[in-house]
Amino acid sequence: MEWFESWFDTPYYHMLYSNRDYTEAEIFITKLTQDLKLPENSCIIDLACGKGRHSVFLNKLGYQVLGLDLSQQSIEFDHQFENENLTFKVHDMRNPIDAEPVDAIFNLFTSFGYFDDEQDDKKVFDSVSNGLKSGGYFVLDYLNEEFVKNTLVPETVVHRQGIDFNITKKIEGRHVIKDIKFEHEGQSFHFFEKVKLHTLDAIKEYAENSGFERVKICGDYVLNDFTKETSPRCINLFKKK
Ligand SMILES: C[S@@+](CC[C@H](N)C(=O)[O-])C[C@H]1O[C@@H](n2cnc3c(N)ncnc32)[C@H](O)[C@@H]1O
C-alpha cells in the first residue's frame, strides 16, 4: 500500500488534523467562486474532498457538488451531509471520473504531489480534463516550494486527544517529507507524508498536455497575486480550452 492509501484512512490522521480551518476554507471558496464567476447551479467536483469542508460550503452557496476522495473513512463521514445537490463517492483521482462533465473541478489544500510515478500525475490532469466541460475550470491549490523551504519547522510535538504526535519535517531531493511518530495504547506508530515539490513549469506542462491554459496563479486564500518568495500557497487556475 502507498502511504496516501493508508495514512489518510486512519483515525490518527483525522485526530492530528482535527483543527482544520473551516473559516479560511469558506473565505477562500467565496473568493474563488466570485473570481471564476461561476453561476449558481454550476456543477463542481471537489477532488480529494477529505471531510468535505469545501464541498459542504460550495453546496450552501447553491452549487451542485460531487465530493470525491480515496479515503473510505472520509467518504463515510461525508455521507451525513448529502442532499439532492451534494453527493460523495470513493474515487482515486488517477482514474477517469464517472460523472457527466462539470463546470469546475477543485483540488484543494495540497491534495496533489503524492505519486512516485510521473505517469500518475499526468493521469490526474487527463481525468480532470475529461471530467470538465470545455471552458471549465481546474483549480489546483498547491504548496509553494520557496515558502515551504523558508518556513520549515524541523521538529514539533502536537498534542491531540491524549496523544503526542512527534513530527519531523525535512526536504529530501524534490520531496517534502513529514514523519509522524506516536504511541497509543502501548503500541508505537510511524506514518509519513511525502509530497513532491513540482515546479511551476512542470505543472504548466502537465496542464497544457491535458488541454488546459493557465489563466492565473494566486498566492493565498484571499487570492492575492503569487510571489515566489513570500506566497504561502501556489493556487493555479486553469481553463480547459
Ligand atoms: C491534505 S488532504 C485535503 C483534504 C481536503 N481537500 C481539505 O482541504 O480538507 C488530502 C486528501 O487527499 C486524499 N487523497 C489522497 N490520495 C488520493 C487519491 N489518489 N485519489 C483521491 N483522493 C486522494 C486524501 O484521502 C485526503 O483526504
Side-chain angles (χ1 to χ4, degrees):
M1 247 198 185
E2 302 274 7
W3 72 267
F4 55 87
E5 293 172 297
S6 51
W7 167 233
F8 290 122
D9 217 26
T10 66
Y12 300 112
Y13 162 74
H14 294 289
M15 267 184 220
L16 177 60
Y17 296 111
S18 54
N19 63 344
R20 284 264 197 261
D21 193 334
Y22 279 67
T23 307
E24 183 184 62
E26 293 182 4
I27 291 168
F28 175 42
I29 287 298
T30 304
K31 290 254 174 205
L32 187 60
T33 49
Q34 283 168 356
D35 194 81
L36 296 176
K37 298 187 177 56
L38 284 170
E40 241 189 65
N41 280 326
S42 295
C43 297
I44 301 174
I45 289 177
D46 182 8
L47 187 61
C49 61
K51 288 188 127 177
R53 59 190 175 135
H54 300 99
S55 304
V56 170
F57 188 66
L58 279 164
N59 178 244
K60 278 195 188 138
L61 293 180
Y63 297 110
Q64 297 183 47
V65 183
L66 171 61
L68 300 172
D69 200 285
L70 185 63
S71 160
Q72 213 147 349
Q73 296 297 324
S74 293
I75 295 298
E76 265 166 36
F77 175 86
D78 292 336
H79 283 319
Q80 66 183 299
F81 305 120
E82 287 187 327
N83 60 46
E84 63 175 330
N85 289 320
L86 174 63
T87 45
F88 293 94
K89 283 184 191 154
V90 173
H91 170 80
D92 188 322
M93 66 175 106
R94 293 168 290 183
N95 294 336
I97 296 169
D98 183 19
E100 288 297 309
V102 295
D103 302 287
I105 298 182
F106 297 165
N107 177 285
L108 307 178
F109 210 65
T110 320
S111 300
F112 183 69
Y114 301 162
F115 312 122
D116 283 334
D117 185 349
E118 206 198 7
Q119 293 309 317
D120 285 335
D121 296 324
K122 292 181 180 169
K123 281 183 194 165
V124 176
F125 276 84
D126 280 345
S127 66
V128 168
S129 181
N130 291 331
L132 280 170
K133 295 177 187 165
S134 80
Y137 289 101
F138 175 35
V139 177
L140 181 67
D141 162 28
Y142 196 54
L143 46 76
N144 173 16
E145 176 172 351
E146 286 302 310
F147 188 83
V148 170
K149 287 180 174 164
N150 293 340
T151 58
L152 187 132
V153 180
E155 282 183 32
T156 37
V157 181
V158 176
H159 310 278
R160 296 265 185 270
Q161 297 178 38
I163 300 179
D164 287 344
F165 291 92
N166 297 288
I167 299 175
T168 57
K169 235 179 174 185
K170 62 183 174 197
I171 311 264
E172 217 172 72
R174 297 295 303 155
H175 291 91
V176 193
I177 299 179
K178 193 169 177 176
D179 266 302
I180 302 148
K181 293 181 182 166
F182 55 92
E183 309 249 316
H184 188 222
E185 293 174 346
Q187 240 188 301
S188 300
F189 292 88
H190 180 194
F191 293 97
F192 68 92
E193 296 173 9
K194 183 179 167 198
V195 179
K196 188 164 181 186
L197 293 163
H198 284 291
T199 63
L200 272 174
D201 284 346
I203 286 182
K204 185 165 178 254
E205 199 178 319
Y206 290 142
E208 286 179 353
N209 287 339
S210 299
F212 289 104
E213 59 173 330
R214 183 150 60 194
V215 287
K216 202 194 272 194
I217 308 175
C218 301
D220 57 32
Y221 289 134
V222 287
L223 302 191
N224 285 307
D225 288 342
F226 176 75
T227 313
K228 204 175 165 190
E229 291 70 30
T230 54
S231 290
R233 304 298 301 163
C234 178
I235 305 169
N236 294 258
L237 273 55
F238 298 108
K239 191 170 186 173
K240 182 173 167 176
K241 289 181 191 157

